[in-house]
mmCIF file of all heavy atoms in Angstrom:
data_model
loop_
_atom_site.group_PDB
_atom_site.id
_atom_site.type_symbol
_atom_site.label_atom_id
_atom_site.label_comp_id
_atom_site.label_asym_id
_atom_site.label_seq_id
_atom_site.Cartn_x
_atom_site.Cartn_y
_atom_site.Cartn_z
ATOM 1 N N ASP A 39 32.959 -26.311 -42.492
ATOM 2 C CA ASP A 39 31.517 -26.473 -42.392
ATOM 3 C C ASP A 39 31.122 -27.376 -41.212
ATOM 4 O O ASP A 39 30.180 -27.076 -40.440
ATOM 5 C CB ASP A 39 30.936 -27.086 -43.687
ATOM 6 C CG ASP A 39 29.449 -27.028 -43.789
ATOM 7 O OD1 ASP A 39 28.863 -26.097 -43.173
ATOM 8 O OD2 ASP A 39 28.854 -27.907 -44.429
ATOM 9 N N ALA A 40 31.966 -28.402 -40.975
ATOM 10 C CA ALA A 40 31.723 -29.292 -39.844
ATOM 11 C C ALA A 40 31.811 -28.532 -38.509
ATOM 12 O O ALA A 40 30.964 -28.716 -37.616
ATOM 13 C CB ALA A 40 32.641 -30.442 -39.857
ATOM 14 N N LEU A 41 32.806 -27.664 -38.388
ATOM 15 C CA LEU A 41 32.942 -26.888 -37.176
ATOM 16 C C LEU A 41 31.800 -25.920 -37.033
ATOM 17 O O LEU A 41 31.298 -25.613 -35.924
ATOM 18 C CB LEU A 41 34.271 -26.118 -37.205
ATOM 19 C CG LEU A 41 35.506 -26.948 -36.931
ATOM 20 C CD1 LEU A 41 36.794 -26.217 -37.356
ATOM 21 C CD2 LEU A 41 35.586 -27.381 -35.489
ATOM 22 N N GLY A 42 31.338 -25.339 -38.130
ATOM 23 C CA GLY A 42 30.194 -24.457 -38.055
ATOM 24 C C GLY A 42 28.948 -25.126 -37.542
ATOM 25 O O GLY A 42 28.219 -24.596 -36.732
ATOM 26 N N VAL A 43 28.682 -26.339 -38.074
ATOM 27 C CA VAL A 43 27.502 -27.100 -37.606
ATOM 28 C C VAL A 43 27.687 -27.492 -36.153
ATOM 29 O O VAL A 43 26.729 -27.362 -35.327
ATOM 30 C CB VAL A 43 27.277 -28.353 -38.487
ATOM 31 C CG1 VAL A 43 26.206 -29.207 -37.940
ATOM 32 C CG2 VAL A 43 27.030 -27.979 -39.915
ATOM 33 N N ALA A 44 28.845 -27.942 -35.770
ATOM 34 C CA ALA A 44 29.111 -28.341 -34.407
ATOM 35 C C ALA A 44 28.848 -27.218 -33.426
ATOM 36 O O ALA A 44 28.262 -27.377 -32.346
ATOM 37 C CB ALA A 44 30.568 -28.839 -34.276
ATOM 38 N N ASN A 45 29.290 -26.009 -33.753
ATOM 39 C CA ASN A 45 29.146 -24.865 -32.838
ATOM 40 C C ASN A 45 27.812 -24.176 -32.893
ATOM 41 O O ASN A 45 27.518 -23.281 -32.114
ATOM 42 C CB ASN A 45 30.262 -23.817 -33.120
ATOM 43 C CG ASN A 45 31.664 -24.310 -32.652
ATOM 44 O OD1 ASN A 45 31.724 -25.123 -31.734
ATOM 45 N ND2 ASN A 45 32.656 -23.817 -33.324
ATOM 46 N N ALA A 46 26.941 -24.573 -33.811
ATOM 47 C CA ALA A 46 25.589 -24.009 -33.971
ATOM 48 C C ALA A 46 24.644 -24.652 -32.995
ATOM 49 O O ALA A 46 23.665 -25.229 -33.332
ATOM 50 C CB ALA A 46 25.111 -24.148 -35.393
ATOM 51 N N SER A 47 24.984 -24.509 -31.718
ATOM 52 C CA SER A 47 24.184 -25.104 -30.637
ATOM 53 C C SER A 47 24.318 -24.214 -29.439
ATOM 54 O O SER A 47 25.311 -23.567 -29.153
ATOM 55 C CB SER A 47 24.739 -26.503 -30.282
ATOM 56 O OG SER A 47 24.138 -27.033 -29.121
ATOM 57 N N SER A 48 23.215 -24.196 -28.628
ATOM 58 C CA SER A 48 23.261 -23.438 -27.377
ATOM 59 C C SER A 48 24.051 -24.192 -26.316
ATOM 60 O O SER A 48 24.438 -23.602 -25.306
ATOM 61 C CB SER A 48 21.846 -23.205 -26.846
ATOM 62 O OG SER A 48 21.203 -24.422 -26.561
ATOM 63 N N PHE A 49 24.330 -25.455 -26.589
ATOM 64 C CA PHE A 49 25.105 -26.258 -25.616
ATOM 65 C C PHE A 49 26.550 -26.227 -25.944
ATOM 66 O O PHE A 49 26.969 -25.996 -27.061
ATOM 67 C CB PHE A 49 24.574 -27.718 -25.650
ATOM 68 C CG PHE A 49 23.139 -27.853 -25.222
ATOM 69 C CD1 PHE A 49 22.162 -28.148 -26.163
ATOM 70 C CD2 PHE A 49 22.801 -27.794 -23.911
ATOM 71 C CE1 PHE A 49 20.827 -28.267 -25.759
ATOM 72 C CE2 PHE A 49 21.488 -27.951 -23.469
ATOM 73 C CZ PHE A 49 20.492 -28.162 -24.420
ATOM 74 N N GLY A 50 27.391 -26.505 -24.898
ATOM 75 C CA GLY A 50 28.835 -26.519 -25.070
ATOM 76 C C GLY A 50 29.515 -27.401 -24.075
ATOM 77 O O GLY A 50 30.408 -26.964 -23.346
ATOM 78 N N LEU A 51 29.101 -28.668 -24.041
ATOM 79 C CA LEU A 51 29.608 -29.560 -22.981
ATOM 80 C C LEU A 51 30.896 -30.216 -23.508
ATOM 81 O O LEU A 51 31.968 -29.994 -22.995
ATOM 82 C CB LEU A 51 28.596 -30.588 -22.584
ATOM 83 C CG LEU A 51 28.952 -31.455 -21.339
ATOM 84 C CD1 LEU A 51 29.261 -30.554 -20.162
ATOM 85 C CD2 LEU A 51 27.791 -32.421 -21.015
ATOM 86 N N ALA A 52 30.782 -31.045 -24.536
ATOM 87 C CA ALA A 52 31.935 -31.817 -25.004
ATOM 88 C C ALA A 52 31.797 -32.107 -26.472
ATOM 89 O O ALA A 52 30.716 -31.945 -27.083
ATOM 90 C CB ALA A 52 32.156 -33.111 -24.194
ATOM 91 N N ALA A 53 32.885 -32.586 -27.046
ATOM 92 C CA ALA A 53 32.900 -32.955 -28.505
ATOM 93 C C ALA A 53 33.897 -34.064 -28.739
ATOM 94 O O ALA A 53 34.898 -34.173 -28.042
ATOM 95 C CB ALA A 53 33.223 -31.724 -29.364
ATOM 96 N N SER A 54 33.579 -34.866 -29.794
ATOM 97 C CA SER A 54 34.533 -35.892 -30.218
ATOM 98 C C SER A 54 34.848 -35.619 -31.692
ATOM 99 O O SER A 54 34.023 -35.289 -32.467
ATOM 100 C CB SER A 54 33.878 -37.283 -30.063
ATOM 101 O OG SER A 54 34.724 -38.281 -30.538
ATOM 102 N N VAL A 55 36.190 -35.672 -32.004
ATOM 103 C CA VAL A 55 36.642 -35.430 -33.368
ATOM 104 C C VAL A 55 37.416 -36.617 -33.861
ATOM 105 O O VAL A 55 38.272 -37.114 -33.147
ATOM 106 C CB VAL A 55 37.562 -34.162 -33.336
ATOM 107 C CG1 VAL A 55 38.111 -33.899 -34.740
ATOM 108 C CG2 VAL A 55 36.842 -32.975 -32.790
ATOM 109 N N TRP A 56 37.150 -36.948 -35.128
ATOM 110 C CA TRP A 56 37.827 -38.115 -35.748
ATOM 111 C C TRP A 56 38.629 -37.680 -36.927
ATOM 112 O O TRP A 56 38.069 -37.216 -37.957
ATOM 113 C CB TRP A 56 36.762 -39.172 -36.089
ATOM 114 C CG TRP A 56 36.253 -39.759 -34.830
ATOM 115 C CD1 TRP A 56 35.333 -39.175 -34.007
ATOM 116 C CD2 TRP A 56 36.590 -40.994 -34.205
ATOM 117 N NE1 TRP A 56 35.086 -40.007 -32.882
ATOM 118 C CE2 TRP A 56 35.895 -41.098 -32.984
ATOM 119 C CE3 TRP A 56 37.493 -42.031 -34.588
ATOM 120 C CZ2 TRP A 56 36.008 -42.165 -32.129
ATOM 121 C CZ3 TRP A 56 37.617 -43.080 -33.750
ATOM 122 C CH2 TRP A 56 36.913 -43.171 -32.539
ATOM 123 N N THR A 57 39.924 -37.799 -36.799
ATOM 124 C CA THR A 57 40.887 -37.386 -37.865
ATOM 125 C C THR A 57 42.245 -38.031 -37.630
ATOM 126 O O THR A 57 42.588 -38.344 -36.460
ATOM 127 C CB THR A 57 41.032 -35.850 -37.878
ATOM 128 O OG1 THR A 57 42.030 -35.479 -38.912
ATOM 129 C CG2 THR A 57 41.501 -35.302 -36.558
ATOM 130 N N ARG A 58 42.993 -38.245 -38.711
ATOM 131 C CA ARG A 58 44.364 -38.700 -38.562
ATOM 132 C C ARG A 58 45.360 -37.623 -38.884
ATOM 133 O O ARG A 58 46.569 -37.875 -39.008
ATOM 134 C CB ARG A 58 44.599 -39.947 -39.455
ATOM 135 C CG ARG A 58 43.898 -41.182 -38.854
ATOM 136 C CD ARG A 58 44.120 -42.461 -39.707
ATOM 137 N NE ARG A 58 43.194 -42.591 -40.749
ATOM 138 C CZ ARG A 58 42.804 -43.744 -41.282
ATOM 139 N NH1 ARG A 58 43.332 -44.868 -40.819
ATOM 140 N NH2 ARG A 58 41.942 -43.778 -42.307
ATOM 141 N N ASP A 59 44.872 -36.384 -38.978
ATOM 142 C CA ASP A 59 45.679 -35.238 -39.302
ATOM 143 C C ASP A 59 45.887 -34.422 -38.028
ATOM 144 O O ASP A 59 44.947 -33.875 -37.491
ATOM 145 C CB ASP A 59 44.943 -34.362 -40.358
ATOM 146 C CG ASP A 59 45.777 -33.206 -40.810
ATOM 147 O OD1 ASP A 59 46.435 -32.541 -39.968
ATOM 148 O OD2 ASP A 59 45.698 -32.868 -42.002
ATOM 149 N N ARG A 60 47.124 -34.409 -37.510
ATOM 150 C CA ARG A 60 47.439 -33.729 -36.241
ATOM 151 C C ARG A 60 47.058 -32.241 -36.275
ATOM 152 O O ARG A 60 46.484 -31.713 -35.302
ATOM 153 C CB ARG A 60 48.906 -33.892 -35.887
ATOM 154 C CG ARG A 60 49.268 -33.226 -34.596
ATOM 155 C CD ARG A 60 50.705 -33.553 -34.232
ATOM 156 N NE ARG A 60 50.876 -34.916 -33.859
ATOM 157 C CZ ARG A 60 50.609 -35.418 -32.639
ATOM 158 N NH1 ARG A 60 50.158 -34.612 -31.672
ATOM 159 N NH2 ARG A 60 50.798 -36.682 -32.368
ATOM 160 N N ALA A 61 47.408 -31.570 -37.345
ATOM 161 C CA ALA A 61 47.058 -30.126 -37.459
ATOM 162 C C ALA A 61 45.539 -29.925 -37.421
ATOM 163 O O ALA A 61 45.063 -28.967 -36.813
ATOM 164 C CB ALA A 61 47.678 -29.507 -38.721
ATOM 165 N N GLU A 62 44.787 -30.770 -38.079
ATOM 166 C CA GLU A 62 43.347 -30.674 -38.105
ATOM 167 C C GLU A 62 42.788 -30.929 -36.707
ATOM 168 O O GLU A 62 41.868 -30.245 -36.252
ATOM 169 C CB GLU A 62 42.745 -31.650 -39.129
ATOM 170 C CG GLU A 62 41.321 -31.446 -39.418
ATOM 171 C CD GLU A 62 40.897 -32.301 -40.623
ATOM 172 O OE1 GLU A 62 41.127 -33.543 -40.584
ATOM 173 O OE2 GLU A 62 40.436 -31.714 -41.589
ATOM 174 N N ALA A 63 43.399 -31.878 -35.995
ATOM 175 C CA ALA A 63 42.919 -32.201 -34.646
ATOM 176 C C ALA A 63 43.184 -30.969 -33.749
ATOM 177 O O ALA A 63 42.294 -30.646 -32.910
ATOM 178 C CB ALA A 63 43.677 -33.415 -34.120
ATOM 179 N N GLU A 64 44.335 -30.375 -33.866
ATOM 180 C CA GLU A 64 44.641 -29.195 -33.064
ATOM 181 C C GLU A 64 43.674 -28.048 -33.385
ATOM 182 O O GLU A 64 43.232 -27.324 -32.476
ATOM 183 C CB GLU A 64 46.084 -28.782 -33.284
ATOM 184 C CG GLU A 64 46.459 -27.478 -32.691
ATOM 185 C CD GLU A 64 46.209 -27.412 -31.142
ATOM 186 O OE1 GLU A 64 46.347 -28.479 -30.472
ATOM 187 O OE2 GLU A 64 45.822 -26.316 -30.660
ATOM 188 N N ARG A 65 43.392 -27.864 -34.623
ATOM 189 C CA ARG A 65 42.413 -26.772 -35.040
ATOM 190 C C ARG A 65 41.086 -27.039 -34.375
ATOM 191 O O ARG A 65 40.473 -26.101 -33.824
ATOM 192 C CB ARG A 65 42.349 -26.746 -36.557
ATOM 193 C CG ARG A 65 41.342 -25.641 -36.961
ATOM 194 C CD ARG A 65 40.973 -25.714 -38.389
ATOM 195 N NE ARG A 65 39.914 -24.690 -38.686
ATOM 196 C CZ ARG A 65 39.242 -24.631 -39.795
ATOM 197 N NH1 ARG A 65 39.510 -25.501 -40.831
ATOM 198 N NH2 ARG A 65 38.297 -23.764 -39.985
#
C-alpha cells in the first residue's frame, strides 16, 4: 500500500525509504 501511495503522483524525482529489511529496501 505504501508503494501504491508513493507512486500515485505525476512527479517522479526522488524518494526516501526507511527499513531495516534488506529485501524490502531492494524491492
Side-chain angles (χ1 to χ4, degrees):
D39 193 28
L41 285 167
V43 175
N45 287 334
S47 172
S48 63
F49 297 104
L51 191 56
S54 178
V55 179
W56 291 77
T57 177
R58 285 182 275 207
D59 184 320
R60 178 174 291 277
E62 192 168 56
E64 172 56 34
R65 179 191 174 190

